[in-house]
């Protein structure tokens, strides 16, 4: 028999399995000092809001010192806070306030690349070719008579070459922007330094880590490098691709796991790994590795019953094999907000990377069905919050915010907009616009000053303070759903119910929690049971189109 204490510890160690995690993009959440940039004191000031929302954890996108070449994913120093955002003391204060409110804290770790202002990179550039300092990155000679051509013709993820030349003529590898040199993970000091970083934040009381592009760290870069066309032919599912998802990356995460397990409860981690197959993703979710991995399957799906059902089935089946839990996410700081995706004309071969849909749909001026998109988003979210596993929410979705498409070029910040990333249309700024807290004020209550990305006039309608008072608001829907989820959530199981209608998905969770979603355009009859909550007003026993209802069966 376990003692009461052991049981409590085991429960605590499992807090993440079915957590509702709320992503904060710190520069755009709340601005306490009125300089137009969100800060950690701003997060602290909003702890009562987060508590009332009913989330279990927050995940903070990077708040480290950074020139913001890539929204903070260019890290100058992994063990400090950007002075524009606060101090380590502010961080401790914020963590204490969140913990006091029963909310766990997850921070973002960016291990594939540093920034070109990181001390080790500056040292590498200064030390010159052949130096030990350059070994920590991927430096190479160029091609051409004078080495004037990059070592390969590879394109960086945000456009432009994947190599950047330094003054003495050598080139370094940058998977994203030139300001983000890739670390050489074969180097023991790089490995050691990241272990130190994990301990640094864990010692400060952080409960877990979101691991940025977890699949890219290890590279195989022999003397003779493949060309871009040759790379495109290589298999991405065998663990042997030179640049991504190599099997050796899991050795790193096994080392990290040992560090996580030094703590009680063990520190949690979730991998961001856009890999090719569910089987490849499962490797990141192994209990000997990071333990959980994001599934973006629902995020790239249409609002369509058949797609939702097969994705849910596949994901649940997969976690049974790994022992992890499923992850569900519709929105984050990299993609078009889901209210907007579901409100744009249907696109064949839908792709959700930020802005592509707008461009395919005819540019930022393209017709957006605001109400219809939000209605479908609310239905999808309510369905997701009934699923077993972790639900990841992105700041502002609880307000029903739409993507901001109309941002003038001179106000944009995202490198993918400026560098002409192939996959991108408008960049990712539209989902990173500072939140509207009040209907008035110079930045809709974001802070006493302005907002570092321009907020549109229509933000006034979505202000949190207004929604708090409005019974059917999206904010109140999220609050009620999250509170009920806590109450109803039990074992990580789901049982599909036959609805006799392929537009309607229904499933029960242990204890008689029934979720029904009508994906169709026509109203349907609600099944028997006490109605607990619905994403749209329900009259009598009719479930309207594009609506989810929760019932006690
Ligand atoms: C992050 C992006 C970032 C990229 C490079 C991603 O997956 O979520 O915001 O630009 O990694 O760090």
């Amino acid at each position: 028999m376990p003692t009461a204490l052991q049981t409590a510890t085991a429960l605590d160690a499992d807090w993440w399995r079915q957590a509702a995690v709320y992503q904060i993009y710190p520069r755009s959440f709340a601005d306490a000092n009125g300089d137009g940039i969100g800060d950690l004191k701003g997060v602290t000031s909003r702890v009562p809001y987060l508590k009332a929302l009913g989330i279990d954890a927050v995940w903070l996108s990077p708040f480290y010192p950074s020139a913001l070449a890539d929204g903070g994913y260019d890290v100058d120093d992994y063990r400090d806070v950007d002075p524009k955002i606060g101090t380590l003391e502010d961080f401790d204060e914020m963590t204490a306030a969140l913990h006091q409110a029963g909310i766990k804290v997850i921070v973002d770790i960016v291990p594939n690349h540093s920034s070109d202002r990181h001390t080790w990179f500056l040292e590498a550039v200064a030390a010159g070719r052949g130096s030990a300092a350059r070994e920590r990155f991927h430096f190479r000679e160029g091609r051409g008579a004078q080495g004037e051509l990059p070592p390969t013709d590879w394109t960086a993820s945000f456009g432009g070459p994947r190599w950047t030349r330094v003054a003495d003529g050598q080139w370094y590898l940058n998977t994203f922007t030139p300001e983000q040199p890739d670390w050489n993970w074969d180097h023991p000091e790089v490995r050691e330094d990241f272990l130190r970083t994990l301990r640094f934040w864990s010692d400060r009381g952080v409960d877990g880590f979101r691991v940025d592009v977890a699949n890219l760290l290890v590279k195989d870069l022999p003397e003779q490098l493949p060309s871009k066309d040759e790379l495109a032919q290589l298999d991405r599912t065998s663990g042997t691709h030179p640049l991504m998802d190599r099997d050796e990356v899991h050795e790193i995460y096994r080392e990290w796991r040992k560090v996580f397990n030094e703590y009680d409860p063990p520190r949690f981690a979730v991998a961001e790994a856009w890999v090719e197959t569910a089987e490849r993703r499962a490797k990141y979710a192994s209990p000997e590795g990071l333990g959980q991995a994001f599934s973006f399957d629902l995020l790239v799906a249409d609002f369509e019953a058949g797609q939702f059902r097969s994705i849910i089935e596949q994901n649940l089946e997969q976690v049974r094999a790994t022992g992890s839990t499923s992850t569900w996410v519709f929105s984050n700081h990299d993609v078009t907000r889901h209210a907007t995706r579901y409100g744009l004309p249907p696109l064949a071969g839908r792709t959700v990377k930020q802005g592509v849909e707008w461009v395919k749909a005819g540019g930022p001026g393209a017709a957006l069905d605001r109400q219809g998109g939000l209605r479908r988003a609310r239905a999808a979210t309510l369905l997701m919050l009934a699923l077993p596993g972790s639900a990841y929410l992105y700041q502002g979705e609880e307000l029903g915010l739409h993507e901001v498409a109309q941002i003038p070029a001179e106000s944009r910040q995202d490198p993918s907009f400026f560098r002409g990333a192939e996959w991108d249309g408008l960049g990712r700024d539209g989902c990173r616009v500072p939140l509207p807290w009040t209907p008035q004020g110079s930045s809709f209550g974001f802070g006493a000053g302005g907002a570092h990305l321009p907020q549109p006039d229509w933000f006034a309608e979505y202000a949190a303070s207004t929604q708090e008072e409005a019974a059917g608001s999206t904010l109140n829907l999220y609050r009620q759903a999250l509170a009920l989820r806590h109450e109803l959530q039990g074992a990580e199981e789901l049982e599909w119910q036959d609805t006799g209608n392929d537009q309607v998905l229904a499933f029960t969770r242990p204890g008689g929690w029934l979720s029904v979603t009508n994906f169709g355009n026509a109203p349907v009859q609600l099944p028997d049971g006490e109605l607990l909550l619905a994403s749209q007003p329900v009259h009598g026993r009719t479930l309207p189109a594009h609506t989810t209802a929760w019932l006690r069966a």
Side-chain angles (χ1 to χ4, degrees), residues 386-404:
L387 292 171
S390 300
Y392 284 85
L393 309 170
Y394 176 54
Q395 68 177 41
E397 67 167 84
E398 79 280 17
L399 303 178
L401 278 190
H402 275 285
E403 190 78 3
V404 182

Side-chain angles (χ1 to χ4, degrees), residues 23 25 59 61-62 69-75 108-114 157-158 175-177 180 210-216 272-274 296 332-334 353 414-416 423 428 432:
Q23 181 189 355
Y25 191 76
W59 143 35
S61 277
D70 179 20
Y73 285 88
D74 45 319
V75 180
D108 215 312
I109 286 290
V110 190
N112 178 68
H113 42 268
S114 66
S157 283
F158 295 145
T175 297
F176 293 92
T177 67
Q180 293 166 294
R210 177 262 189 188
V211 183
D212 190 60
V213 289
N215 52 322
L216 298 188
E272 186 221 17
W274 288 82
F296 297 115
N332 63 32
H333 66 298
D334 287 333
K353 281 293 193 175
D414 184 6
S416 70
W423 48 266
R428 300 163 296 176
R432 300 176 177 181

